[in-house]
Amino acid sequence: MRSEPDLPLSSFQARRLYRLVAEAFGEAGLVVEVLGDHVVDERGRAHGLRDLAAACATEPPAAWPEVVRRHVHAAVSPAPTLADLDDATLEASCVLRLLPAAALPPDWDPAAERVTADLVSVVAIDLGDQALMPPADALRERAPLLPWRERAADNLRHLADHLPLHHEGVAPQGAPDDGFDVVVGESGLVASLALDLDALLDRLGLADRGRGVLVGAPYRHQLALRVVDGPGAATALGHLVDYTRSTYAVAPGPVTPLVHWVHEGLWRPTSSAPPQDPPLARAAEQTRGGRVATERLHPEVAAALGI
């Protein structure tokens, strides 16, 4: 079956997804029109299908109806507002979240903290099955004296210690020193744990050896990491870039296709590609056949890797 161009599914799978989505919206009392990678309901509201398609692609066919039903229910259920939440809930639920800068409206928060040119760190309200991203001004109006970012950072550090995670090593056959670590979980805040890398490394039994950590955050439920600890890290970077790029292309909730070198709290893209290049092209040019394209490597990263 040919792939559906707008979704990470075959044509047969996409047709089944469209049918399940239409049925689920129908159960909620809404009629929708399917338009490739999204549907539009009778009120004119658009609902994207890419994340749902990526989630279904990782599940067995028998699980699709329930996955779709939950997704549609969340889409049509009214989201809570700040006014619906008491002060104690807000304080306990605020957390730093890593997001692509392009995901924020231009006027959302001009002072949003930049992690890189492509990524920002914002204060979100995590309610488990739902998340709010109120503008910073709305949070300050609600509690002017509360240090929101500091409290959110404390809550993220707690999650780094207690969030349910699955951790495993990934390495090419016969080359264990060229591998990296993958962390995945059901929470949409897994990728955000990279904002408190020391706490996460400590939980995983790893540590920054003084030369930084290579970090891939392809989508919100996953991180891929490699401590720069020796010659194997240079080869691992090529595999890590390939893995991050390919996962970013198909996973729900994409964050970034680039691998970053995180050292002393600063994030640097491992590629020194010109900023006008599309992010995906930058990642694609970083490796050739699993090897690092050294002329594209950021000079400081090359120095840390000993290249």
Side-chain angles (χ1 to χ4, degrees), residues 15-279:
R15 287 196 297 271
R16 182 173 186 237
L17 177 68
Y18 295 152
R19 178 175 58 79
L20 290 172
V21 167
E23 290 175 354
F25 273 103
E27 292 173 4
L30 292 171
V31 176
V32 295
E33 180 183 4
V34 177
L35 299 170
D37 64 349
H38 67 286
V39 299
V40 176
D41 66 28
E42 56 201 86
R43 302 173 189 171
R45 297 175 302 184
H47 305 272
L49 296 178
R50 186 187 183 280
D51 286 359
L52 176 58
C56 286
T58 65
E59 298 285 347
W64 282 32
E66 183 57 29
V67 172
V68 171
R69 194 173 294 111
R70 288 200 307 267
H71 180 92
V72 170
H73 175 77
V76 300
S77 298
T81 65
L82 289 185
D84 298 323
L85 305 174
D86 58 46
D87 291 347
T89 299
L90 283 175
E91 191 169 339
S93 303
C94 68
V95 63
L96 290 184
R97 185 174 180 185
L98 182 68
L99 288 173
L104 294 181
D107 58 349
W108 185 86
D109 182 9
E113 185 168 309
R114 289 273 174 168
V115 179
T116 70
D118 302 322
L119 299 172
V120 293
S121 166
V122 303
V123 176
I125 307 300
D126 178 50
L127 303 174
D129 58 343
Q130 290 180 309
L132 308 181
M133 285 200 307
D137 288 345
L139 291 173
R140 284 191 291 267
E141 289 176 7
R142 176 65 183 263
L145 301 181
L146 183 66
W148 285 102
R149 287 198 66 87
E150 290 83 352
R151 186 57 50 84
D154 289 343
N155 289 340
L156 183 68
R157 189 169 300 113
H158 176 81
L159 290 177
D161 291 332
H162 297 94
L163 201 64
L165 299 173
H166 174 71
H167 169 220
E168 65 177 303
V170 176
Q173 189 172 4
D177 292 339
D178 299 345
F180 51 91
D181 292 270
V182 174
V183 178
V184 66
E186 292 188 8
S187 171
L189 292 169
V190 174
S192 300
L193 298 180
L195 296 171
D196 198 333
L197 202 53
D198 287 340
L200 178 61
L201 292 175
D202 186 59
R203 174 174 175 179
L204 301 178
L206 304 171
D208 187 343
R209 308 283 184 88
R211 288 190 285 170
V213 182
L214 301 170
V215 177
Y219 73 112
R220 58 179 177 245
H221 295 276
Q222 187 184 76
L223 279 173
L225 313 163
R226 171 64 193 238
V227 173
V228 181
D229 55 359
T235 308
L237 174 58
H239 300 299
L240 183 55
V241 167
D242 287 341
Y243 179 87
T244 301
R245 184 180 68 246
S246 60
T247 305
Y248 169 88
V250 299
V255 178
T256 176
L258 302 179
V259 172
H260 292 83
W261 177 56
V262 182
H263 180 55
E264 296 181 344
L266 297 177
W267 289 53
R268 299 172 182 85
T270 54
S271 169
S272 57
Q276 66 268 24
D277 287 356

